[in-house]
C-alpha cells in the first residue's frame, strides 16, 4: 500500500512538473517572439515615417531657440511660431521675444500685421500680394520636403537616415535654381532631426554653400495638427 501510494503520488508529481514545464516553455517562447517583434519594429524605418509623417503636417504650434551665425558674430532669439494651412487659406504667426519687447508678425492670406508690445506699435498691410520667404519657419522645410518626395521636380533630393534613436530628414538643394526659388540661393541643404522615441521635432539646421550650419534651431515644444 505504501509503495502503491508512493507510486500514485509520484505520477501526480510528474504530471504537475510536466504542466509547469510546459507553461514555462510557452512563456519563454512568447517572450522570445515579443522580443523579435520589438527588434523588427525598432529597425523598420517605415514605422518611424508612418508615426510622424512630415508630408501630413498642415498646422502646428512651436517654441524654439534660434541661433543665426555669421562671420563676425552670432545672434540668439527665442521665438514662438504658429502655422495653419487649409486649402488656399494660410495663417502664419511669429512672436520674437527680445529683452525689452515682444514683436509679433501675423500673416493671414493678404494681410500682414506687425505689433510691438512695448512701443504699442501696430502696423497693418492689406490687399497686397505677400510673399513668404522664411528659412526659419519649419513650414518652408515641410513644403520643400513634400515637393522632394512627390517628385515634383529634381531640384531637391530628400534622404532619410537613422542613428542613435534619431531620424534625420535632409534636403539637398541644387546650385542652379529657377527664379521662384531665389530665396534658396546661398543654401546647400536643410536638415530636420526628429527624436525617434518622443516622436518630436528636435533640431532644424540650414547649411550654407560651404556645408556649414548658419541657422540652428532647437525646439522646446512642438504641437502638430492642432
Amino acid at each position: 500500500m505504501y509503495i502503491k501510494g508512493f507510486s500514485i503520488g509520484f505520477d501526480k508529481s510528474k504530471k504537475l512538473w510536466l504542466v509547469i514545464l510546459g507553461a514555462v516553455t510557452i512563456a519563454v517562447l512568447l517572450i522570445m517572439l515579443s522580443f523579435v517583434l520589438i527588434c523588427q519594429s525598432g529597425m523598420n524605418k517605415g514605422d518611424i515615417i508612418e508615426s510622424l509623417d512630415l508630408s501630413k503636417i498642415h498646422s502646428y504650434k512651436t517654441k524654439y531657440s534660434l541661433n543665426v551665425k555669421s562671420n563676425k558674430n552670432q545672434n540668439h532669439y527665442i521665438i514662438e511660431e504658429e502655422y495653419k494651412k487649409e486649402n488656399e487659406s494660410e495663417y502664419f504667426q511669429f512672436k520674437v521675444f527680445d529683452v525689452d519687447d515682444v514683436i509679433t508678425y501675423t500673416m493671414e492670406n493678404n494681410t500682414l500685421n506687425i505689433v510691438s508690445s512695448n512701443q504699442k506699435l501696430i502696423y497693418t498691410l492689406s490687399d497686397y500680394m505677400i510673399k513668404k520667404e522664411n528659412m526659419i519657419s519649419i513650414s518652408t522645410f515641410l513644403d520643400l520636403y513634400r515637393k522632394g518626395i512627390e517628385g515634383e521636380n529634381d531640384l531637391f533630393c530628400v534622404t532619410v537616415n537613422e542613428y542613435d534613436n534619431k531620424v534625420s530628414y535632409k534636403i539637398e538643394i541644387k546650385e542652379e535654381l529657377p527664379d521662384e526659388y531665389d530665396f534658396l540661393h546661398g543654401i546647400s541643404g536643410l536638415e530636420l532631426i526628429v527624436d525617434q522615441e518622443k516622436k518630436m521635432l528636435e533640431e532644424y539646421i540650414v547649411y550654407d554653400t560651404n556645408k556649414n550650419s548658419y541657422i540652428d534651431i532647437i525646439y522646446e515644444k512642438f504641437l502638430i495638427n492642432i
Side-chain angles (χ1 to χ4, degrees):
M1 295 294 293
Y2 175 79
I3 297 175
K4 186 177 180 181
F6 179 81
S7 177
I8 294 173
F10 175 78
D11 290 341
K12 289 182 177 180
S13 177
K14 185 177 180 180
K15 290 180 180 179
L16 179 61
W17 277 107
L18 288 174
V19 171
I20 295 173
L21 182 61
V24 171
T25 302
I26 293 173
V28 171
L29 289 174
L30 289 174
I31 292 172
M32 292 177 64
L33 178 61
S34 300
F35 180 76
V36 170
L37 292 174
I38 290 170
C39 289
Q40 289 179 345
S41 177
M43 296 179 66
N44 187 352
K45 290 184 179 181
D47 294 340
I48 299 169
I49 297 173
E50 290 175 2
S51 61
L52 183 59
D53 191 343
L54 300 183
S55 64
K56 295 182 180 179
I57 297 178
H58 53 77
S59 65
Y60 59 81
K61 282 185 178 181
T62 180
K63 183 177 181 179
Y64 50 83
S65 172
L66 166 67
N67 290 297
V68 181
K69 304 174 185 177
S70 65
N71 294 331
K72 296 182 179 180
N73 55 24
Q74 179 172 319
N75 298 315
H76 177 75
Y77 307 92
I78 299 296
I79 296 178
E80 287 185 358
E81 180 185 340
E82 181 177 356
Y83 178 80
K84 295 179 182 179
K85 187 172 184 179
E86 185 175 355
N87 298 325
E88 299 300 322
S89 177
E90 188 175 36
Y91 174 87
F92 184 84
Q93 185 182 83
F94 258 117
K95 283 187 178 181
V96 182
F97 293 83
D98 202 351
V99 177
D100 301 319
D101 197 5
V102 178
I103 301 176
T104 303
Y105 304 85
T106 305
M107 183 191 79
E108 187 167 10
N109 299 326
N110 292 331
T111 299
L112 174 66
N113 290 310
I114 303 175
V115 179
S116 171
S117 61
N118 186 29
Q119 300 178 10
K120 306 301 180 184
L121 171 66
I122 300 177
Y123 180 80
T124 302
L125 179 64
S126 299
D127 299 327
Y128 287 89
M129 180 63 68
I130 298 174
K131 187 177 181 181
K132 177 173 67 67
E133 297 175 354
N134 187 354
M135 294 311 306
I136 296 173
S137 173
I138 195 64
S139 63
T140 301
F141 177 93
L142 295 174
D143 183 51
L144 298 177
Y145 173 81
R146 292 187 191 99
K147 292 178 179 179
I149 63 174
E150 292 172 1
E152 185 172 318
N153 53 51
D154 59 353
L155 302 175
F156 315 114
C157 177
V158 177
T159 57
V160 181
N161 295 305
E162 185 180 346
Y163 63 95
D164 298 334
N165 289 324
K166 311 290 183 184
V167 182
S168 168
Y169 299 86
K170 196 164 186 178
I171 302 175
E172 294 183 6
I173 300 170
K174 290 192 174 182
E175 293 184 4
E176 296 183 3
L177 296 169
D179 292 340
E180 62 179 306
Y181 295 111
D182 56 357
F183 65 97
L184 293 174
H185 286 298
I187 296 175
S188 64
L190 313 171
E191 183 177 15
L192 178 64
I193 300 174
V194 176
D195 188 303
Q196 178 179 343
E197 293 183 352
K198 297 179 181 178
K199 300 295 184 291
M200 175 181 169
L201 278 64
E202 183 176 89
E203 186 175 8
Y204 173 45
I205 307 168
V206 179
Y207 296 95
D208 61 18
T209 52
N210 294 320
K211 309 294 184 181
N212 297 320
S213 66
Y214 79 96
I215 294 178
D216 190 8
I217 292 175
I218 303 296
Y219 293 99
E220 180 179 324
K221 67 177 182 180
F222 201 101
L223 304 177
I224 299 174
N225 294 339
I226 52 172

